[in-house]
Amino acid sequence: MTGQRILIAEDDPQLGDAVQRGLREEGFECRLAPTAALFLEFVERESPDGLIIDIGLPDADGRDLCHALRARGITAPVVFLTARDALPDRLSGFAAGGDDYLTKPFAFAELVARLRALLRRNAVPDAGDGRLRVDPLDHAAHCGGESVPLTPTEYRLLALLAARGGEVVRRAELVQAGWPHGAIVHDNTLDAYIARLRRKIRAMPGAPELATVHGVGYSLR
Amino acid sequence: MTGQRILIAEDDPQLGDAVQRGLREEGFECRLAPTAALFLEFVERESPDGLIIDIGLPDADGRDLCHALRARGITAPVVFLTARDALPDRLSGFAAGGDDYLTKPFAFAELVARLRALLRRNAVPDAGDGRLRVDPLDHAAHCGGESVPLTPTEYRLLALLAARGGEVVRRAELVQAGWPHGAIVHDNTLDAYIARLRRKIRAMPGAPELATVHGVGYSLR
DNA sequence: CTCGCACGTTCAGGTTTTTGTCAGGTCTGG
DNA sequence: CCAGACCTGACAAAAACCTGAACGTGCGAG
C-alpha cells in the first residue's frame, strides 16, 4: 500500500507475473518489462522508485542493463534475480552497480524484505515547493506545512493522481487502482471518493486542485 | 573511498580478526567489539559509517542490538552475519532494521561487495528521535526518567515501532517481528499486545503516542 | 508437590472508522 | 433545452479496532 513504483525486467512470463501480482498485494505499484529495450523505455518514462532485474534477459545481460542505467544517472536501487549463484556472478552484479542479489528459486517474502530495506534507505522525503506529496511512511498527504491522513482507498487513488503529476487520469484507471481486487463498484462510488479527497485536500493551504476533465477523468494541479 | 569507518560486532576472535584485517586491506578503518555492550559504547562514541553484526553475540541477540541502534536514531547501514539461514531468521533480520544478511560461511569478497553497495547509497535518512528508547540489555523501555519493563513479545513489537521512528509499521510486519518463529496467532492477538503496550507507555510521562493508522498498521509519535 | 506468578493467547462485547450506495441536485456539451 | 455526466450530504452495513476478562502453560519458591 506504499504506492512506491517498482519496475521489473523479467522474460519468464510465469515468474514475472507472480512477482508482479505479489508486489501489488504488498501495496507496490508495479510494471513488468519482458525485454531490456522495453525496460529502458519504461525507466525513462516513469522513473520508478525501485528496480528488479533478471540477469538472463533475452536481448541483453542484466548487468549490462544496470550499468547502462547508472551511466545515465539513474540511481534507483536495483535487485538482481538470477539462476546462477556462483560467487563471481554475484560480485559482477555488485560491480555493475546493483544493490542486492537474489538467487532463484527465492522466497518471495525475502524479495519483499530486501526491496523494502533498500527503499527505506533511498527515501527522499519532501521535494518541497507547493507540490502535493503522498507519503507512504505515514499514509498521509502533505502540502505546505499541513498534512491530512488518508484511508486506504483514498490513498490508492490520490497516489495514482499524484504520481501522474498534472496529467489526466482516466476514470477506468482510477477504478482499477482504487479497487485492485477487481471488486465491482458502482460508477458513482468513484465520484464519492473524489468528493472526499477534494474536501480533505482543500483543508490544506496552497494545495493543488483536483480538476474534473469532463467525460474523461481527473487531474491534479 | 578510503577511510570509511566500520564497526564489527563479533565474538569469535578468529573470524572477527579475519574480517577486520580483510577490511583494512580494502581500505576501511575498522574496529572490533566482541560484545553488544562494547559495541553500543563504540557506536555512540565513534559514530561509524557502517556496521557488521553477528547475530549470535554472547550478551544479546544481534537483532535486538540492531533494534536498539535504530531506536536511538543511528542510521548507519547494518549487515548481519549468522550461521542460520532459515527464511524466518532472515526476515526477522530485516524487520529489525537491518540492511543485508550474510550466512556463514561467506565469501569475504561478497561481504565487501555488499558493504560497499550499502555505503554507496548511505543518504542518511535522518531519524526523528522519539525520545523513547528500548534497551536490549534489560529488555525495558526508557523515556524521560521513567522506565518500564517489557516482556519478550512486547519488546520485539515496541523495538520495531521505535526503530521506525514515526513511520507507520504495517500489521503484517509487526506480526512477523513479534512472532518470528512463524507461530500462527489470531489477528486479535496483535491488538491485545498493542493495548498492553499503550497502557505501559502511558505510564511514562512525555512518552510518544502509539497511534493507529486504520487499515494499515501503527506508528509511534 | 503445590501454589502462585508471569507470560502468552483467546474470547466476547462494544466502539470507531471505512466503505459503498442512494437521492436529489448541479453542471456541460451539443 | 436535453441527456448524460458529475457533485455532494447522508446513511446503513461492514470491517477494523479496543479492551477487560478469562484460560492455559511453564516455572520457580516454598
Side-chain angles (χ1 to χ4, degrees):
Chain A
M1 212 146 304
T2 69
Q4 298 197 74
R5 291 180 321 245
I6 310 300
L7 185 56
I8 308 161
E10 171 62 64
D11 59 314
D12 173 1
Q14 198 178 341
L15 176 57
D17 216 56
V19 169
Q20 190 174 212
R21 193 188 321 270
L23 287 178
R24 289 217 169 109
E25 260 167 41
E26 290 286 333
F28 296 100
E29 251 183 73
C30 60
R31 172 141 215 171
L32 187 58
T35 68
L38 268 176
F39 186 85
L40 270 173
E41 204 178 300
F42 288 163
V43 167
E44 298 274 342
R45 198 159 62 215
E46 309 181 357
S47 58
D49 303 301
L51 310 173
I52 297 174
I53 301 179
D54 188 338
I55 286 200
L57 292 173
D59 57 339
D61 184 297
R63 284 162 295 198
D64 294 346
L65 178 54
C66 180
H67 210 243
L69 293 176
R70 297 306 189 214
R72 291 181 196 200
I74 284 148
T75 61
V78 167
V79 178
F80 283 119
L81 302 181
T82 178
R84 313 193 42 193
D85 79 334
L87 184 60
D89 289 310
R90 284 206 295 264
L91 294 183
S92 67
F94 287 110
D99 296 287
D100 210 333
Y101 199 102
L102 270 178
T103 303
K104 293 189 247 184
F106 55 87
F108 182 72
E110 179 160 14
L111 172 59
V112 173
R114 287 186 180 271
L115 194 57
R116 281 233 168 87
L118 285 171
L119 290 172
R120 185 166 67 214
R121 208 155 264 294
N122 203 32
V124 175
D126 195 14
D129 62 308
R131 270 280 176 275
L132 178 80
R133 200 162 57 81
V134 179
D135 191 339
L137 298 180
D138 60 1
H139 249 251
H142 299 260
C143 191
E146 304 288 320
S147 76
V148 287
L150 300 172
T151 73
T153 306
E154 286 168 359
Y155 179 90
R156 288 192 291 270
L157 293 174
L158 191 55
L160 175 55
L161 284 161
R164 291 291 175 80
E167 306 283 312
V168 176
V169 184
R170 264 181 284 278
R171 281 176 77 84
E173 278 183 276
L174 283 165
V175 169
Q176 223 167 23
W179 291 269
H181 305 300
I184 43 165
V185 289
H186 280 213
D187 223 28
N188 176 285
T189 304
L190 178 59
D191 301 356
Y193 268 94
I194 293 290
R196 277 175 205 173
L197 280 175
R198 278 207 253 255
R199 194 177 335 170
K200 281 197 175 181
I201 286 178
R202 248 200 310 271
M204 295 185 297
E209 182 197 0
L210 217 177
T212 304
V213 181
H214 204 94
V216 184
Y218 300 89
S219 76
L220 203 53
R221 326 200 199 98
Chain B
M1 184 66 80
T2 66
Q4 292 199 80
R5 291 181 321 246
I6 310 300
L7 183 56
I8 308 161
E10 171 62 65
D11 59 315
D12 173 1
Q14 198 179 340
L15 177 57
D17 215 58
V19 169
Q20 190 173 211
R21 193 187 324 271
L23 286 178
R24 287 210 172 115
E25 264 169 38
E26 291 287 333
F28 295 99
E29 250 181 74
C30 61
R31 171 142 214 170
L32 185 59
T35 68
L38 268 176
F39 186 86
L40 271 173
E41 205 177 298
F42 287 163
V43 166
E44 299 273 344
R45 199 160 60 218
E46 308 182 357
S47 58
D49 302 301
L51 309 173
I52 297 174
I53 301 179
D54 189 336
I55 286 197
L57 292 173
D59 57 340
D61 185 295
R63 284 162 295 197
D64 293 346
L65 180 56
C66 181
H67 265 146
L69 295 175
R70 297 307 189 213
R72 289 178 195 202
I74 286 149
T75 60
V78 167
V79 178
F80 283 119
L81 302 182
T82 178
R84 311 193 44 194
D85 80 332
L87 184 62
D89 290 307
R90 283 203 296 265
L91 294 182
S92 68
F94 287 110
D99 297 288
D100 210 335
Y101 199 103
L102 268 179
T103 303
K104 294 188 251 184
F106 56 87
F108 181 73
E110 180 161 14
L111 172 60
V112 173
R114 287 185 179 272
L115 193 58
R116 282 235 167 86
L118 284 171
L119 290 171
R120 191 165 60 209
R121 65 170 63 247
N122 184 8
V124 184
D126 169 51
D129 78 313
R131 301 242 6 87
L132 180 80
R133 229 160 38 79
V134 282
D135 192 327
L137 299 179
D138 61 0
H139 266 231
H142 302 264
C143 188
E146 305 287 321
S147 80
V148 171
L150 300 172
T151 74
T153 305
E154 285 169 0
Y155 175 85
R156 288 192 291 273
L157 293 174
L158 189 56
L160 176 54
L161 284 162
R164 290 289 175 81
E167 299 171 9
V168 175
V169 185
R170 263 156 264 280
R171 252 165 167 282
E173 279 184 275
L174 282 167
V175 170
Q176 226 166 38
W179 292 269
H181 309 300
I184 44 166
V185 288
H186 276 216
D187 228 25
N188 180 294
T189 304
L190 177 59
D191 301 358
Y193 269 94
I194 293 290
R196 277 191 210 180
L197 280 175
R198 277 206 251 255
R199 197 175 334 166
K200 282 197 175 181
I201 286 178
R202 248 199 309 269
M204 294 186 296
E209 182 198 0
L210 217 178
T212 304
V213 182
H214 216 274
V216 185
Y218 299 89
S219 77
L220 204 54
R221 331 214 178 86

